[in-house]
Amino acid sequence: MTYSFTSYDGTRLGYRVLGSGQPLVCLPGGPGRAGEYLGDLGGLDAQRRLVLLDPRGVGLSADPVDPATLRADRLVEDVEALRRHLGVEQMGLLAHSAGGILATLYAATYPERLSRLILVTPGLAALGVYPREDQFDLVLARLSGEPWYPDARAALDRILGGELSRETFDASRPLFYRRWDAAARAHASVGVAERYQAAREGYGAGILLDPTATQAALKNLTAPVLLLAGRLDSMVTPTMVRQAAALLPHASVAVQETAAHFPWVDDAAGFAAAVRPFLD
């Protein structure tokens, strides 16, 4: 089922709902990717009502009048508008990849509105945590014998250098899965479209993150936090999530041994086993 609501500035935003029960609001990554790629998150819809938000300018959501509102720190108010629309005092929040930056900023701004926070292979720049080159290369080394590796690695290097084109995004995808098989190839194209390029580029455009201030604000967060990493993920390593967990109150870490950047795709059962106890 799909629904919509009007955010703080009049922009109409859409979301999908799977399952029933208490809402778990889910923020996609990309950035600029529609929430449909999250699927049912390894079957979590059997335990929670998954509310898969499409960010403004993406998927079911309208393009904003002001492009500056596509920036991650400005999207915080869209998440808060969704909470009010759902009519709950507190909500569970799950974020994947780049969506982790938005979720972290939301938690710092509205700590009292969260009942739990789940960060899945998350972007951690808002906390001042970044990949280390030696760890990055070590994880990617397992893939270096693949015939597609040189082109995919070159594309990823361009992304890390700031190039955010759709072509570069597509070319880098084999590096983000445990296996580049038919299931991974099908998943890589879900929630991606040319129209979303403005949202992809606008997410970090001109943003000024202040990790020290964010860490200080998060001391007010009383909700439990789960950070989940894939052992095979070069972008967000177990070392990184452990470093981030040390900066957050009430935080725990889970590592999926057989997963990369999309752990519910690589190992749905393992993902569910890691997350479901945290939702009880």
Side-chain angles (χ1 to χ4, degrees):
M1 298 290 290
T2 62
Y3 301 88
S4 65
F5 67 101
T6 301
S7 194
Y8 67 94
D9 64 346
T11 303
R12 198 75 182 164
L13 303 183
Y15 61 95
R16 295 169 179 80
V17 173
L18 300 175
S20 60
Q22 292 296 314
L24 178 65
V25 171
C26 303
L27 305 180
R33 193 168 181 182
E36 62 185 311
Y37 84 90
L38 297 171
D40 63 6
L41 286 167
L44 292 187
D45 60 328
Q47 193 171 356
R48 284 289 188 274
R49 174 163 50 111
L50 304 183
V51 178
L52 310 177
L53 177 65
D54 282 349
R56 55 178 56 207
V58 172
L60 300 170
S61 295
D63 298 334
V65 173
D66 181 2
T69 63
L70 295 167
R71 206 173 63 199
D73 56 337
R74 301 285 296 275
L75 295 178
V76 165
E77 295 307 320
D78 286 341
V79 180
E80 175 61 7
L82 175 56
R83 181 199 63 80
R84 293 196 300 269
H85 164 73
L86 295 173
V88 294
E89 287 297 314
Q90 288 189 320
M91 64 183 180
L93 185 63
L94 179 148
H96 173 245
S97 191
I101 297 173
L102 171 56
T104 302
L105 295 175
Y106 179 85
T109 306
Y110 295 103
E112 73 283 1
R113 296 304 186 187
L114 292 180
S115 60
R116 65 200 68 236
L117 176 62
I118 303 169
L119 301 174
V120 179
T121 59
L124 298 168
L127 292 171
V129 177
Y130 298 93
R132 277 176 31 194
E133 187 172 355
D134 58 336
Q135 296 173 351
F136 186 82
D137 290 336
L138 182 63
V139 176
L140 287 180
R142 73 181 179 90
L143 302 171
S144 60
E146 298 288 349
W148 42 257
Y149 180 82
D151 289 341
R153 178 59 195 266
L156 183 57
D157 287 341
R158 291 197 299 273
I159 290 173
L160 295 173
E163 182 181 328
L164 298 176
S165 70
R166 171 70 187 277
E167 293 75 17
T168 305
F169 176 89
D170 290 344
S172 70
R173 292 303 91 186
L175 300 175
F176 288 77
Y177 296 86
R178 179 178 63 174
R179 289 189 299 268
W180 187 235
D181 55 14
R185 289 193 294 272
H187 181 262
S189 64
V190 176
V192 181
E194 290 296 339
R195 178 198 152 216
Y196 312 159
Q197 187 63 26
R200 182 169 174 77
E201 294 175 354
Y203 193 75
I207 194 169
L208 296 175
L209 297 173
D210 186 342
T212 300
T214 300
Q215 292 171 28
L218 286 168
K219 294 186 183 302
N220 297 315
L221 180 65
T222 59
V225 181
L226 175 66
L227 297 101
L228 189 146
R231 179 73 66 186
L232 307 179
D233 186 8
S234 63
M235 298 300 293
V236 187
T237 64
T239 297
M240 289 172 61
V241 297
R242 291 190 182 100
Q243 183 181 347
L247 302 173
L248 296 166
H250 319 295
S252 58
V253 169
V255 178
Q256 271 187 254
E257 296 295 326
T258 57
H261 198 63
F262 299 93
W264 69 94
V265 177
D266 288 333
D267 178 6
F271 180 78
V275 176
R276 278 180 173 163
F278 188 78
L279 295 174
D280 290 336

